[in-house]
Amino acid sequence: MTVPDEPEYLAATRAGYDTVAADYAALLADALADNPFDRAVLALYAELVRGAASGEGAQQVVDVGCGPGRITAHLAGLGLNVFGIDLSPAMIEQARRRHPGLEFRVGQMTALDLPPGSVAGLVAWYCVIHVPPAEHPVVFSGFRRALAPGGHLLLAFHAGDERRRITAAYGHSGLAFDAYRLPPERVEQQAVRAGFLPVARFSHAPIGPEKTAQAYLILRAGEGAG
Ligand SMILES: C[S@@+](CC[C@H](N)C(=O)[O-])C[C@H]1O[C@@H](n2cnc3c(N)ncnc32)[C@H](O)[C@@H]1O
């Protein structure tokens, strides 16, 4: 799949995830069961969103970069009204097949096709890692626009400060796309400049196959237009 005028990194990331989608989906299908940190953060986030969205206004939550929908489905199980968006058509095919009761769309985070203020929550779980850090301010402004004031953003990523070229993953070689380890303080500052208020920042030392600390940020969309 090619899209006219899109940056090379988007085409490369899409091609990479289209290649690995089926194996990624199978390998990570039960990964949450082995990760108490992920489950704890997702439970906290779901509780915050449910509490803030209990009145009038936006109720939906979007899982951006949803991949095969494992986090989308987990959040639905925690009571959120959630749908998924992903760059990779093959990932969206996996998500639809594995979670037929949920809605999944092809789309991308640097040009979110969501009405302003239309969602109560936005989850970006290990996906801003594929956008060059210089573009993060634009991405976070787009997230802020999509969220209703008071809506909650959840970011998860590998902590650090480096670009890594992915050439082999999930049983495939010959891949060629980038992933970035990111400093949590800088990511939080960029989100604050885009109109978010910090709520919580966590990190934990690597567990299982992880090679670096993992970071999680929860932020709340400030008042104002975004
Ligand atoms: C490491 S996977 C994480 C998938 C899922 N969140 C999970 O935890 O299983 C990264 C996902 O982000 C998606 N992605 C990367 N860049 C994206 C973009 N610009 N817009 C939307 N999705 C993107 C990829 O297609 C891939 O499915």
Side-chain angles (χ1 to χ4, degrees):
M1 178 178 175
T2 52
V3 176
D5 299 330
E6 75 175 356
E8 191 275 334
Y9 81 85
L10 276 181
T13 304
R14 181 189 298 110
Y17 277 106
D18 277 348
T19 301
V20 303
D23 292 299
Y24 179 104
L27 283 166
L28 272 79
D30 299 321
L32 277 178
D34 296 328
N35 195 319
F37 298 104
D38 283 1
R39 293 198 311 277
V41 169
L42 291 165
L44 170 62
Y45 177 75
E47 189 166 340
L48 291 171
V49 173
R50 285 196 312 265
S54 55
E56 296 290 305
Q59 306 286 327
Q60 276 199 310
V61 174
V62 59
D63 179 12
V64 174
C66 63
R70 68 191 184 100
I71 302 298
T72 330
H74 189 77
L75 290 170
L78 293 172
L80 299 187
N81 177 4
V82 58
F83 66 100
I85 291 179
D86 199 277
L87 176 68
S88 155
M91 280 294 202
I92 290 297
E93 196 183 314
Q94 287 293 325
R96 288 177 178 151
R97 187 180 309 153
R98 286 167 179 269
H99 309 290
L102 297 176
E103 182 195 337
F104 296 98
R105 312 174 191 164
V106 175
Q108 59 113 340
M109 77 178 99
T110 50
L112 275 182
D113 188 15
L114 296 172
S118 62
V119 292
L122 192 153
V123 176
W125 193 262
Y126 293 95
C127 66
V128 296
I129 61 170
H130 295 301
V131 174
E135 293 201 25
H136 287 172
V138 174
V139 168
F140 296 147
S141 292
F143 288 176
R144 172 64 195 85
R145 256 193 309 282
L147 278 160
H152 287 83
L153 170 65
L154 171 60
L155 302 170
F157 49 92
H158 314 285
D161 194 4
E162 62 177 310
R163 178 174 73 93
R164 295 170 61 79
R165 175 117 285 223
I166 311 292
T167 55
Y170 312 113
H172 295 260
S173 55
L175 306 173
F177 62 102
D178 290 335
Y180 297 83
R181 292 177 178 170
L182 303 167
E185 298 79 6
R186 188 182 75 205
V187 175
E188 188 177 83
Q189 284 164 9
Q190 288 172 328
V192 166
R193 280 198 284 273
F196 286 96
L197 306 168
V199 174
R201 190 200 307 161
F202 305 98
S203 66
H204 71 80
I207 58 168
E210 294 169 353
K211 295 190 174 54
T212 184
Q214 308 300 304
Y216 311 84
L217 298 179
I218 299 177
L219 300 107
R220 193 159 45 84
E223 300 301 318

